[in-house]
Amino acid sequence: MINETALLESPTLRGSVLDRTDVLDRVKALSLLPDGMHVTTAMVASYFDVGLEAIKSLVKDHRIELEASGYRLLTGEELRSFKNLSGIQSRTRSLALFPRRAVLNIAMLLRDREVARQVRVYLLDMEYLARTQPVENPAPAHTASLDARIDQRITHILGRTVVPLFNALIETSGEHRRELTALRAGVQRIEKRLQQHHTRLQRLEAPREGRPLAGVMAAMDAMNGREFEEHVAELLRRDGCTNVVVQGGGRDRGIDITALTADGRRIVVQCKRFAPHLSITSPEIQKFLGAPKVLHDSEVALFAATCPFTRDALNIAAESGITAVPRGLLEEWSAGAALTVLA
């Protein structure tokens, strides 16, 4: 089992968990550059509450490892192109860029800093649950969500690929027909058990007596940003919306999802998967203000978040015609309630 000491000492272990970048948002919000993908050295230092020199020293000591996780130092034409594409106004002759994987890598190198330690605690907790939770035991809601997604993917592979392959082999094989038939039966038994397990996990997360379970939000807290956007897109489709498109990437012009309501109104959605203890503040709403009308000519604007909104943020949203969907309302919407603005 991975422990903190091993994580701090082993580049191989650090590299094995770099995809768990969602743990960064569980500790605090990580501000990104306009490209939506990178942060600067100063932004990394701000996230971890350390000085610039602390980050520069780590880069110097672990440059090869950090470059493997995505760290880059831009200069010359590459820097000019990045500035043009991202809209950065700066005269600097070089720019160090860290993707989220490299920021997580930094968290596993900063030994004595509280924010880095908290990130490691979340990371180790998630790894423990993913690696050691027995499938026979009642799982916590966020683990059930992870197991359910794994079950679905394995069942899909077995049902759509492995079983048809056995069918084709059985049809063309004479000598080994009996053995192949027995193997196919074994695969089909595994597929059936996975389907039964998936059904049990769905019941764990389902609303009881009209009230959403804590598992509804726990499942979303376990998602990364892209998975959360896809979740909101599915809610829109469930409620009769059409032409639902998840924009994604750093060139979405401030919008994560576009769609049409059932009666033909254009919708734009901003999604923020933040840790529950954080809040959407007024600057976040103000940053979103121009996109719905000016850039997308929309009639319905949603701002959905896995955290609460501050009072100022809610007031600005109401005054600007933006429908705020904070954590509580998002939970109800995910559990089956309809959003009034979509009716």
Side-chain angles (χ1 to χ4, degrees):
M1 185 181 75
I2 299 177
N3 58 42
E4 187 171 11
T5 301
L7 202 61
L8 289 167
E9 299 296 336
S10 171
T12 302
L13 282 180
R14 291 195 291 270
S16 72
V17 295
L18 285 178
D19 288 334
R20 295 271 186 189
T21 57
D22 55 301
V23 300
L24 295 168
D25 297 319
R26 292 174 178 271
V27 177
K28 60 190 293 191
L30 177 65
S31 299
L32 299 172
L33 288 171
D35 72 340
M37 299 172 60
H38 297 93
V39 297
T40 64
T41 306
M43 294 164 77
V44 176
S46 176
Y47 178 85
F48 290 110
D49 295 329
V50 300
L52 278 173
E53 291 305 316
I55 303 301
K56 290 180 179 178
S57 177
L58 282 179
V59 172
K60 182 179 179 180
D61 293 340
H62 302 275
R63 189 179 187 103
I64 294 176
E65 178 180 340
L66 288 168
E67 285 180 343
S69 62
Y71 168 82
R72 290 187 298 160
L73 182 65
L74 302 186
T75 59
E77 185 58 36
E78 190 177 17
L79 175 58
R80 285 190 290 274
S81 297
F82 181 80
K83 287 180 180 178
N84 291 334
L85 289 172
S86 63
I88 293 177
Q89 301 296 321
S90 171
R91 294 184 179 180
T92 182
R93 295 183 179 180
S94 63
L95 182 66
L97 294 180
F98 297 75
R100 290 171 64 88
R101 285 167 57 91
V103 178
L104 181 57
N105 207 150
I106 291 290
M108 293 183 280
L109 294 170
L110 273 171
R111 288 179 174 269
D112 302 318
R113 300 294 179 171
E114 180 60 23
V115 175
R117 189 194 66 79
Q118 290 178 28
V119 171
R120 293 195 295 270
V121 168
Y122 274 113
L123 179 62
L124 291 169
D125 285 348
M126 292 293 289
E127 280 298 297
Y128 176 80
L129 288 172
R131 292 172 184 268
T132 66
Q133 183 69 45
V135 297
E136 294 83 5
N137 292 344
H142 61 281
T143 312
S145 175
L146 176 63
D147 284 349
R149 293 200 297 273
I150 292 171
D151 283 355
Q152 282 183 308
R153 290 173 185 174
I154 295 175
T155 304
H156 178 82
I157 292 170
L158 292 177
R160 299 293 180 88
T161 304
V162 179
V163 172
L165 179 61
F166 273 118
N167 291 340
L169 288 172
I170 290 169
E171 288 296 324
T172 59
S173 175
E175 182 180 354
H176 301 289
R177 187 183 185 92
R178 181 176 297 177
E179 291 87 346
L180 289 169
T181 302
L183 285 171
R184 181 183 63 182
V187 170
Q188 288 173 323
R189 282 196 298 271
I190 294 171
E191 181 185 5
K192 183 177 180 180
R193 288 175 185 172
L194 285 171
Q195 288 172 338
Q196 291 170 341
H197 184 232
H198 178 60
T199 300
R200 183 178 66 83
L201 292 176
Q202 285 183 315
R203 289 172 182 166
L204 270 177
E205 295 187 351
R208 292 178 184 168
E209 299 177 0
R211 295 175 296 174
L213 291 176
V216 174
M217 288 310 301
M220 273 181 275
D221 290 337
M223 297 176 183
N224 59 35
R226 181 68 178 190
E227 289 171 336
F228 177 54
E229 291 169 5
E230 294 287 353
H231 172 74
V232 173
E234 282 303 313
L235 294 178
L236 292 170
R237 295 186 185 99
R238 183 201 70 190
D239 290 349
C241 297
T242 59
N243 294 0
V244 180
V245 177
V246 179
Q247 302 295 320
R251 302 180 183 180
D252 56 18
R253 307 180 79 186
I255 298 299
D256 294 317
I257 303 170
T258 59
L260 296 176
T261 63
D263 57 4
R265 290 171 294 154
R266 184 169 176 79
I267 309 169
V268 295
V269 186
Q270 174 71 273
C271 299
K272 292 293 183 185
R273 204 215 63 74
F274 284 178
H277 64 273
L278 300 175
S279 295
I280 299 298
T281 59
S282 53
E284 294 280 356
I285 300 296
Q286 291 168 2
K287 185 178 177 181
F288 178 60
L289 280 180
K293 291 292 183 183
V294 177
L295 297 179
H296 296 272
D297 192 27
S298 68
E299 298 168 89
V300 178
L302 303 181
F303 197 119
T306 56
C307 64
F309 286 57
T310 65
R311 181 175 297 179
D312 285 345
L314 289 172
N315 289 338
I316 292 174
E319 292 168 3
S320 308
I322 294 171
T323 299
V325 186
R327 187 175 180 87
L329 182 56
L330 178 64
E331 182 179 30
E332 295 175 6
W333 188 24
S334 299
L339 287 183
T340 304
V341 71
L342 299 180

